[in-house]
Every structure is written in structure tokens, then in C-alpha cells.
Amino acid sequence: MLETLDARLAQAHGGELGHLDFLQVLCQDEIARREAVAFERRLRKAKFEQQATLEGFDFNASPKLPAAQIRDLAALRWLHAGESVILFGPVGVGKTHVAQALGHLAIRQGANVRFAKTSRILAELAGGHADRTWDRRMREIVRPDLLILDDFAMRQLTAPQADDLYELVSERQGQSLIITSNRAPSDWYPLFPNPVVAESLLDRLINASHQVIMNGPSYRPNKRPKNPTGRPSNG
């Protein structure tokens, strides 16, 4: 409470605060400070690529995007129900921005979030097989309330990768995922070497998810730095 004590004492001496008001406001200051510190800690642990928010997303840049559906997801009812979200569409339409923005909203509500490229998660688990820390690594990945897997289904999976994904999705049963992909979910099945694993994993994942088709022109040109003429830079 020391950070705001002098200011509140000055208000009290000036007659702006009574004794009870002084104590209440001082406690509120400390609660707000602790909440801000906890928020910043959760934000750091999420490891976002950028501090993306829905407030900072330009829906007008692509009228084809399902803005109403995305704004409905911003209410986070799916997170409280332990459901998942799949954002898919061509490169550059803003899938990763929206995924991180939904994660940012979840952090604001007190959730623990982790963002990672799917390839990075698979590499972590592969390293766990090599040094016998697989169980510990899996527990750490499963722990967050919301796990965001970016660039899912980019390429053909090996059998160990497919098995690790199966274990990950199984362990997170009842916990939310956000998945971004350049491929439609129906196109994920051939990427798995074992059709039985693919069927079991993807049916469970897809059927319990809100699917958002993101289409339209690339969102990235709108984020390029502008040159002095006001036109986007080609760099």
C-alpha cells in the first residue's frame, strides 16, 4: 500500500476521505496493484508473438471475415464450457492475430494461457522422448487453461508426432484449445500416417470445436510500416 499511501493521506487530511473511506480506497489500490501484477505475469507466461487485441483488429480491412462470429467468441462462453476454437483460412488473413487476441481476453479474465507454434510443441515433446522428460513436458503443456496451437497441420506428421498430438488432445479433454490452420479440418486427416489415430483424435477435436472460416485478402499489408508518402512500404 506504500505506493499510494501518501496520496491517500493527503486526500484524508484535505477532508476528501473519511476514516472508513480512506481505509477502503487504500485497500482498493492494493487490490488493483496485485491484479495488475498478476495480469502482467500471465501475459509474460503466455509467450505471445505480439500483444494483439480484438480492439486493435481492423475488421473493415476484409469484409468477408465473420466479424459477428469472432465478436461472439470474445464473450469466452466457449472457454468457460471447456470447448475449443478452430480458425482456418488462407495465409495472412489474421488468424494468428485473432487467436492471440482471444487469448489476451482470457488472460484479462484471469485464465492462464500459452501460445506456441504447433511445430514447437511437437519439438518439445520429441525432446522429452530423447531425455526421458516427456511426462514432465506434457504436464507443463497441459497445465494452462487455454492452449493456442498456431500453424496446425502445416505438413505431413511422423508416427511419433501423431501419437504425441493424440496424447496432448486426450490429456486436455475438457480444457480449451485454439487452433489456427491454413487447411480446412477435413483436409487434416491425410496428414496422419495412421488413419485410426487420425479418426480418433480429429473427430474428438473437431466435433467439440467452434469452427471459424477466415477468408479474404491478406491482412498483413495493412500492418506494414508506411513510408513518408503514406503508402505501405515494400519491405
Side-chain angles (χ1 to χ4, degrees):
M1 297 181 179
L2 291 175
E3 291 184 9
T4 58
L5 180 60
D6 289 342
R8 298 309 184 190
L9 282 171
Q11 286 182 293
H13 290 150
E16 298 177 40
L17 297 173
H19 293 90
L20 290 178
D21 292 333
F22 169 76
L23 183 59
Q24 183 178 22
V25 170
L26 203 59
C27 289
Q28 288 172 345
D29 289 342
E30 174 60 11
I31 291 170
R33 187 195 66 80
R34 291 188 183 191
E35 288 177 348
V37 169
F39 172 79
E40 290 297 330
R41 186 185 306 117
R42 292 194 301 273
L43 206 55
R44 287 194 303 273
K45 289 176 67 176
K47 299 181 180 179
F48 291 135
E49 290 182 338
Q50 61 188 110
Q51 297 306 315
T53 64
L54 279 186
E55 294 90 339
F57 189 77
D58 184 9
F59 286 98
N60 296 323
S62 183
K64 291 184 178 180
L65 289 179
Q69 187 180 9
I70 293 171
R71 289 192 174 103
D72 186 55
L73 291 174
L76 301 184
R77 288 184 290 269
W78 53 273
L79 178 62
H80 303 309
E83 298 164 348
S84 296
V85 174
I86 297 174
L87 307 168
F88 65 96
V91 173
V93 293
K95 301 183 297 294
T96 299
H97 184 117
V98 171
Q100 291 178 109
L102 292 173
H104 197 276
L105 286 171
I107 288 175
R108 291 187 219 174
Q109 290 199 9
N112 290 308
V113 177
R114 179 174 178 186
F115 171 91
K117 298 293 184 185
T118 305
S119 59
R120 174 67 180 171
I121 293 294
L122 291 175
E124 282 189 35
L125 292 173
H129 288 298
D131 64 8
R132 299 184 180 181
T133 61
W134 188 89
D135 288 335
R136 176 179 60 77
R137 296 186 188 209
M138 178 63 79
R139 285 195 300 272
E140 291 176 356
I141 296 169
V142 170
R143 185 177 295 121
D145 304 304
L146 172 61
L147 176 63
I148 302 174
L149 296 177
D150 195 35
D151 289 340
F152 188 85
M154 287 284 286
R155 58 183 64 87
Q156 191 82 24
L157 296 167
T158 65
Q161 288 175 330
D163 290 342
D164 282 344
L165 273 178
Y166 177 83
E167 293 296 332
L168 175 58
V169 172
S170 298
E171 288 291 325
R172 285 193 61 86
Q173 191 73 22
Q175 293 176 281
S176 296
L177 290 164
I178 295 179
I179 289 174
T180 76
S181 180
N182 297 335
R183 305 173 190 259
S186 58
D187 296 332
W188 296 349
Y189 290 85
L191 301 178
F192 287 76
N194 187 329
V196 175
V197 172
E199 195 76 24
S200 180
L201 187 160
L202 295 178
D203 280 359
R204 180 183 303 178
L205 178 61
I206 294 169
N207 291 332
S209 299
H210 300 265
Q211 298 184 30
V212 182
I213 303 174
M214 297 185 64
N215 213 337
S218 176
Y219 182 72
R220 289 174 185 167
N222 300 311
K223 303 182 74 176
R224 291 179 189 161
K226 296 182 181 297
N227 61 29
T229 66
R231 296 178 180 177
S233 169
N234 292 324

